[in-house]
Amino acid sequence: MRHSADTIAAIATPPGRGGVGIVRVSGPGAGQIGVGVLHRLPAPRRAVLATFLDGASGAIDEGIALWMPGPDSYTGEDVLELHGHGGTVVMDLILQRTLALGARPARPGEFSERAFLNDRLDLTQAEAIADLIDCGSVDAARAAARSLVGELSQRVHALTAAITELRIYVEAAIDFPEEESDFLADAQVSQRLQAIEEMFAELFASTRQGSLLREGMTVVIAGAPNAGKSSLLNRLAGYDAAIVTDVPGTTRDVLREHIDLHGMPLHVIDTAGLRHSEDRVEQEGVRRARNEMAGADRVLLIVDATTDALPSGPLPDGVPVTVVYNKIDLLDSSRLDEGKMPVRETTATPAIQISAKTGAGLDELREHLEACVGYVAGETGVLMARRRHLDALEHASQHVKAGRDQLARSKAGELLAEELRLAQLALGEITGEVSSDDLLGRIFSSFCIGK
């Protein structure tokens, strides 16, 4: 347990007007602050109706007080919670009283950081708390809850244990050189490596889905002016998010909408029409459009199916593109034959036919976007994961594969053992067993104050 020298306090409920607001205090001075505010500490872990007092023993508010001595508390330290009425002024008065009695304002995420440092939860569980607060769908909430109760940690620990056992087996062979070749040629080593790689594959499947639930997909709608880009944005959003007229170049700036795509966050960006223009405002809009396209997970290139007009200028390298033929409601049925579409005949780019006006083809487009990132709505066993988790898993998996290759090429147990050690370190970054202060600072600074 790490015992902090200072005591922190913060309002743990959202700012604004509400029925209940909570001020949370944690640290060695929490008990003394409790006596100052309440004149006596309640019995541990029992909710008590109390009057919250100011420095002149005048009443600030009346509410519920909870006293939770460490180590059996959220942070592992002495914790005091004061549940009052949720007015902005009332909450601030209670917080200021705790600060006057010796606490300091908590940094964002500092309560959860202390819980991590005091081994009350590991790093994946701490991150799951923030993800549960921020989640935007039922599937995301369930995935975050599974990570919060430790399912991701358990899977990572099981994988680490399997790697550790194999490493011990290999290093035992190294200690007996005369028997090393027999040990390493044993089918048991190959079988264990295969079992470990299968565990990686299963964990990747669960965490990739969880990462999509958390981070979603960024899609940029691009194309020539008047191709129907803003109409498509409005259809996907379900309301008139963008102004739509028959005047080319109506959209000159970047418009962003966050849409729930069967549980996955879809970040849709509408952009200015791509064309050469002498108008400085429109030129800036085109520049911003190209910047957004370069950072997208996928570009939807909207083509007016009645004119087949393509936008001017090249598309960004390395960004996948889907051609979306819009306004098919205006075409003769014979034109809907995909062989008549010129872009399809000259590129390997996937293409979809839609009508943003009638909604035809929108379900196909949604299914296409899900398939592009491998998202499966409603999949069971999904674990909330962040990009850093996937990166660490990938690094660990690559070390195991490198160890297998080294063993096959050179029969060198030392090289296999070293790769297994590096795989262990990579997995330790996920749960926080191996971490830097810089990493912890970046993670917890993204939390809300009071959590």
Side-chain angles (χ1 to χ4, degrees):
M1 298 284 287
R2 295 192 187 185
H3 296 286
S4 302
D6 53 352
T7 300
I8 58 174
I11 299 171
T13 42
R17 182 172 177 269
V20 176
I22 300 172
V23 172
R24 176 178 287 163
V25 182
S26 179
Q32 181 179 348
I33 291 172
V35 172
V37 174
L38 307 170
H39 282 187
R40 63 182 179 85
L41 282 178
R45 280 168 285 282
R46 292 188 64 183
V48 175
L49 179 65
T51 301
F52 308 151
L53 304 172
D54 61 20
S57 294
I60 299 174
D61 193 10
E62 184 177 66
I64 300 297
L66 286 170
W67 167 241
M68 294 163 282
D72 298 323
S73 68
Y74 175 71
T75 62
E77 305 172 334
D78 291 346
V79 171
L80 173 71
E81 287 190 358
L82 303 171
H83 298 224
H85 295 93
T88 302
V89 174
V90 173
M91 284 292 101
D92 187 61
L93 286 172
I94 298 172
L95 175 62
Q96 293 303 319
R97 176 64 173 146
T98 65
L99 299 181
L101 290 168
R104 67 163 174 81
R107 302 189 308 271
E110 191 170 3
F111 290 93
S112 294
E113 182 179 10
R114 292 189 178 199
F116 165 72
L117 294 174
N118 289 326
D119 296 323
R120 299 297 295 170
L121 38 78
D122 66 27
L123 200 51
T124 59
Q125 290 173 298
E127 289 170 310
I129 293 170
D131 293 337
L132 187 59
I133 293 170
D134 293 337
C135 65
S137 70
V138 173
D139 287 344
R142 288 172 176 164
R146 279 191 284 269
S147 292
L148 176 58
V149 299
E151 286 191 31
L152 176 57
S153 305
Q154 291 165 13
R155 297 275 292 276
V156 171
H157 287 146
L159 184 52
T160 304
I163 293 173
T164 302
E165 290 172 5
L166 178 56
R167 181 182 168 194
I168 291 171
Y169 184 84
V170 172
E171 290 184 349
I174 296 171
D175 290 338
F176 299 95
E178 67 280 359
E179 299 180 18
E180 180 179 355
S181 60
D182 292 335
F183 263 87
L184 299 179
D186 189 345
Q188 185 176 167
V189 174
S190 178
Q191 291 170 356
R192 287 188 177 186
L193 281 170
Q194 182 177 349
I196 288 170
E197 289 178 353
E198 289 173 356
M199 292 174 72
F200 269 113
E202 292 173 0
L203 191 51
F204 268 126
S206 295
T207 53
R208 280 197 186 103
Q209 291 294 307
S211 179
L212 288 172
L213 284 172
R214 180 182 184 275
E215 299 177 6
M217 178 185 187
T218 299
V219 173
V220 170
I221 301 175
N226 223 28
K229 301 182 298 299
S230 296
S231 296
L232 176 57
L233 173 70
N234 291 343
R235 266 288 177 180
L236 291 172
Y239 74 103
D240 291 339
I243 297 173
V244 175
T245 72
D246 57 1
V247 179
T250 302
T251 300
R252 295 193 172 195
D253 204 347
V254 172
L255 298 177
R256 304 175 189 274
E257 281 296 318
H258 301 286
I259 299 166
D260 184 337
L261 184 60
H262 299 143
M264 180 182 74
L266 185 66
H267 311 292
V268 183
I269 302 174
D270 183 23
T271 58
L274 302 177
R275 67 174 176 180
H276 177 74
S277 174
E278 300 299 328
D279 187 319
R280 290 177 58 188
V281 176
E282 192 167 359
Q283 288 175 358
E284 176 62 17
V286 171
R287 185 192 69 78
R288 294 186 182 189
R290 296 197 178 280
N291 285 344
E292 295 293 342
M293 291 163 63
D297 294 317
R298 180 160 291 268
V299 171
L300 298 182
L301 182 63
I302 312 303
V303 176
D304 185 340
T306 65
T307 65
D308 298 331
L310 298 176
S312 62
L315 297 177
D317 293 332
V319 179
V321 175
T322 296
V323 177
V324 178
Y325 290 97
N326 188 27
K327 305 184 183 181
I328 61 172
D329 55 299
L330 302 179
L331 293 181
D332 183 271
S333 59
S334 62
R335 286 289 312 277
L336 297 182
D337 177 7
E338 65 180 11
K340 301 284 181 67
M341 295 298 184
V343 178
R344 289 195 180 189
E345 293 177 359
T346 58
T347 73
T349 304
I352 293 176
Q353 301 166 358
I354 71 161
S355 169
K357 180 178 180 179
T358 67
L362 264 294
D363 287 341
E364 181 186 353
L365 177 59
R366 293 185 182 99
E367 291 172 3
H368 170 72
L369 293 175
E370 292 177 4
C372 287
V373 292
Y375 176 67
V376 180
E379 187 169 345
T380 60
V382 175
L383 300 169
M384 187 62 76
R386 298 187 173 202
R387 172 50 53 186
R388 74 170 197 90
H389 300 155
L390 298 183
D391 290 343
L393 280 174
E394 182 62 33
H395 291 153
S397 176
Q398 290 301 322
H399 284 303
V400 171
K401 291 176 182 176
R404 178 192 279 276
D405 293 342
Q406 294 282 9
L407 182 63
R409 283 198 303 266
S410 60
K411 306 296 182 186
E414 293 89 347
L415 297 177
L416 173 58
E418 175 61 12
E419 293 293 349
L420 294 175
R421 184 187 71 83
L422 294 173
Q424 286 177 281
L425 291 177
L427 291 175
E429 293 177 0
I430 297 177
T431 57
E433 294 168 41
V434 178
S435 59
S436 66
D437 290 341
D438 179 59
L439 172 66
L440 297 182
R442 291 200 309 271
I443 290 173
F444 288 108
S445 66
S446 65
F447 284 40
C448 43
I449 295 175
K451 195 56 188 171

